[in-house]
Amino acid sequence: MLNVYFGSCEDEIYNPPAFFVNQYEDEWITTDLSKEMIKDVDKSDVISSRVIDSPVLGPITPRELSGGVQTLMLMAYDESGYTFNASSCGNNCAKWILKIAEKKDLSVTLHNIMDFGNGMFDIRILNEDKIVHNMQEFVETAIDYV
């Protein structure tokens, strides 16, 4: 399940891209999930664990991926127990955050209102220990905190 805390919390990694550069492992890059996220969010193709083909930048390393993709990979693979600031992700990462949270309990902070789309979902708002099921409920709850 996805757990969202609006605002900062004690175990939050506020700048996930900086954390990613020092923590990621090569094998994260070549998983099917990472390849799909990199293709969808950054429009780039994974060539190997150290080379990604970007249509804008040419060959890049994982360190040059967008902050959104880096944060998604931390959410998916980091086992440190930290809470990652999902505000470093754009709305184009929201579906991936929900997908990751289907496979594991995931806690994130948000300092803005992220658009999780028009579908149904289960997101626990930790500020109130309340589960919301759609964007209307999400926004109605978030508005008190952001």
Side-chain angles (χ1 to χ4, degrees), residues 13-55:
I13 300 297
Y14 187 78
N15 187 348
F19 187 80
F20 175 87
V21 166
N22 295 304
Q23 298 297 320
Y24 84 91
E25 298 176 17
D26 285 346
E27 57 266 16
W28 294 3
I29 309 305
T30 56
T31 67
D32 288 341
L33 177 62
S34 291
K35 288 178 181 179
E36 290 175 38
M37 293 187 301
I38 291 167
K39 183 68 170 176
D40 182 51
V41 176
D42 284 0
K43 311 299 185 231
S44 299
D45 296 306
V46 174
I47 306 302
S48 71
S49 62
R50 296 187 182 176
V51 179
I52 293 108
D53 185 25
S54 166

Side-chain angles (χ1 to χ4, degrees), residues 33-146:
L33 177 62
S34 291
K35 288 178 181 179
E36 290 175 38
M37 293 187 301
I38 291 167
K39 183 68 170 176
D40 182 51
V41 176
D42 284 0
K43 311 299 185 231
S44 299
D45 296 306
V46 174
I47 306 302
S48 71
S49 62
R50 296 187 182 176
V51 179
I52 293 108
D53 185 25
S54 166
V56 175
L57 303 172
I60 61 172
T61 71
R63 293 171 182 251
E64 286 82 44
L65 288 167
S66 70
V69 168
Q70 291 175 344
T71 303
L72 289 172
M73 283 193 277
L74 285 168
M75 290 175 187
Y77 305 119
D78 184 81
E79 298 296 330
S80 65
Y82 290 115
T83 300
F84 294 102
N85 176 7
S87 294
S88 65
C89 298
N91 287 330
N92 60 342
C93 295
K95 72 178 183 182
W96 293 106
I97 294 171
L98 290 173
K99 185 173 183 168
I100 293 165
E102 287 174 4
K103 300 202 181 320
K104 70 185 242 185
D105 281 334
L106 177 63
S107 294
V108 303
T109 58
L110 276 172
H111 301 268
N112 64 308
I113 298 176
M114 181 171 273
D115 184 357
F116 287 100
N118 295 325
M120 298 297 291
F121 48 73
D122 292 323
I123 296 175
R124 177 177 285 117
I125 307 299
L126 295 173
N127 305 71
E128 297 184 8
D129 194 28
K130 172 183 178 181
I131 296 176
V132 296
H133 306 285
N134 56 51
M135 275 308 294
Q136 180 176 342
E137 293 175 1
F138 185 77
V139 170
E140 287 171 357
T141 305
I143 205 78
D144 292 333
Y145 301 101
V146 295

